[in-house]
Amino acid sequence: MAVEKKAKRPRKSTTELRRLNEISMLDTARYFFDVAAERLELEDWVRKMLRFPKRKLIVNIPVQMDDGTIQNFEGFRVQYHPLLGPCKGGIRYHPDVTVEEVEALAVLMTWKCSVMNLPFVGAKGGIRCNPAEMSKVEIERMTRRYAAEIAPIIGPDQDIPAPDVYTGEREMAWIVDTISMHNHSFMPGLVTGKPKVLGGSEGREGATGRGGFYVAQETLKHLGMNFRDTNIVIQGFGNVGYHMAKYCFDQGAKITAVSDVNGGIHNSNGLDIPKLKQHLKDTGSVVGFADSERVENKDLLELDCDMLVPAALENQITEENADRIKAKMIIELANGPTTLEADRILYERGVFVAPDILANAGGVTVSYFEWVQDRAFYFWDAGTVDHMLKRYMTEAFQRVLGMHLDHGVEMRTAAYMVSVNRVAEAARVRGLYA
Ligand code: GLU
C-alpha cells in the first residue's frame, strides 16, 4: 500500500476542537476554502468575493392539500457568482431543509463543478417538507408553484436545477412543463435529470454511483489494491448507494453491509446485490433480507471493512465515531458526510478520503452531458456517456491526487485547491465589477 505523505496540521485545544465539531457544513466548506485560499495565496479581494454566494432566494409556497386545507411551505434557491458559466445544482425535499443548508450545498456544488472542469458554478434549491407524508398530487402542486416562484432566476443560460434528496425525474418533468408553458416554448435545457422522452440523458440515473465507482477504482489503484480483495460497507441504498453497490459487486467486491432509513443489514461473506434489490422492490426496505443479520445504522459505519461509502445524508462521520472507523478508505458519495473534526481524526489516522466534491460528482457531470445534448438536440448512446464519464472522473481524480502528493495536503484540501484555483482564475480575468 502506498504510504501517504502527511503535512503537519496544527494541533488544536480541546475547547477549540469542541467548537469545531459544532460548526455547520457551511462553516466546514468555508474552512476548507480558507485553507485552500491561504495555500494558493489568493488576493484579498478574490477571497472576499469567492467566500459568499451571489444570491439567496426564499419563497413561500401555498399548497392546497387533498383535504382542502392550505399549507405553506418554505422554498429556497441559492446561487453562486456565475464566474465559469451558469449555476447548477439539485433541488431537495426534506423536513430539515434550511436556507443555511441550501447555501452550504450551493457552495459545495461550486467546488464540485470546478474540480470536474465543468463550465458551471454551484446552486442548490430545496423545500422544507416531508414528501413521505404527501400525496403525488400535493407534491405536484408544490413543485409547480415552487418552479413558478423561482422562474425569474432559473433558465438554461442562468441556472439549471436537477434532482437531489427525494426528488427525481418526475419532479424535473413537472418543472420543465410548468416553465415551458409559461414561456410558450419547450425548454428541455432548463433542468437535468429529466425523463429521456423530454431530453434526459442515457446514464443519468445511475451517474452518481457510476462516478463513485470510478473514483473507488482509482483509489484502489493508488493504494495497490483491487475490487476482488475489497470489503465494502455502504450507508444508504437509494439511487446513489444502490448503483455504487451494483458496479462494485459486478467487479467482484464484497459488499458486506448496507442500510436504509429503516436500519442496516450485514453479512461478512458479502450480500447478493441483485437479490437485495429485488427484496427492496418487494418489501420497500433492505431490512429483513434473507442472508443477513440486522445492524444499527450507527454501528454500520464502524464495521470492519476496507472501504466505507457514506451515501446518505450529511454529518454522519463525527468526532464521536471517527476514532472507531476501521475502513482504510472512505469514498464520500453523500454531500458533507464528514464533520470538520472527524476529518482531522481520519487524516491523523491515515485513512484515505476521496472527498464529496470529487467522489459524488458523477451526477452533475452527466447532468452537464445532458445539458450539452439538449442544447444541440443531438443525443448520445449509453456507451458514449459512460466513456465520457469515466474520462472526466479519472482525470479529476488524477488532478486532485497530483495536488495531494505534490503539496503533502490531504485529499479534501487538494480538491479545494484545484477547484478554488480555477474559480479564482476566472474572477481575476473577469474582475470584481464594482
Ligand atoms: N444533486 C446532485 C449533486 O448534489 C446533482 C446536481 C446536478 O446534477 O446538477 O451533485
Side-chain angles (χ1 to χ4, degrees), residues 88-90 109 112 124 160 162-164 192 204 335 360 363-364 367:
K88 185 84 192 82
M109 280 307 299
K112 196 186 296 190
K124 202 82 178 192
I160 307 118
D164 198 76
T192 58
R204 176 63 186 83
N335 286 313
N360 74 29
V364 71
S367 274

Side-chain angles (χ1 to χ4, degrees), residues 130 140 160 181 284 355 407 425:
N130 189 354
E140 177 173 354
I160 307 118
M181 294 298 282
H407 292 259
E425 240 178 271

Side-chain angles (χ1 to χ4, degrees), residues 144-292:
R144 288 184 182 275
R145 180 65 187 249
Y146 171 71
E149 295 297 341
I150 64 167
I153 63 163
I154 64 169
D157 296 316
Q158 278 174 282
D159 177 1
I160 307 118
D164 198 76
V165 175
Y166 295 135
T167 59
E169 287 194 350
R170 184 182 73 169
E171 286 74 16
M172 297 307 114
W174 290 330
I175 295 175
V176 168
D177 183 65
T178 306
I179 309 237
S180 294
M181 294 298 282
H182 283 198
N183 286 286
H184 305 284
S185 78
F186 177 49
M187 299 171 71
L190 177 81
V191 300
T192 58
K194 304 174 289 292
K196 278 186 211 137
V197 70
L198 297 183
S201 178
E202 290 289 345
R204 176 63 186 83
E205 204 197 340
T208 308
R210 187 75 177 159
F213 162 76
Y214 287 129
V215 167
Q217 193 169 46
E218 290 303 303
T219 300
L220 289 172
K221 244 190 252 169
H222 170 62
L223 299 179
M225 295 170 69
N226 62 58
F227 279 112
R228 296 210 150 272
D229 303 320
T230 301
N231 288 336
I232 307 179
V233 168
I234 303 180
Q235 183 196 41
F237 204 67
N239 181 33
V240 176
Y242 161 68
H243 281 98
M244 176 71 174
K246 177 185 161 359
Y247 296 126
C248 296
F249 176 83
D250 288 347
Q251 291 303 308
K254 249 191 230 164
I255 317 298
T256 53
V258 301
S259 65
D260 61 23
V261 279
N262 301 306
I265 56 165
H266 178 231
N267 178 344
S268 50
N269 295 319
L271 299 159
D272 184 318
I273 299 302
K275 279 195 191 150
L276 177 59
K277 177 71 179 171
Q278 192 54 49
H279 172 82
L280 174 67
K281 261 193 196 148
D282 297 342
T283 68
S285 174
V286 297
V287 173
F289 183 56
D291 301 319
S292 69

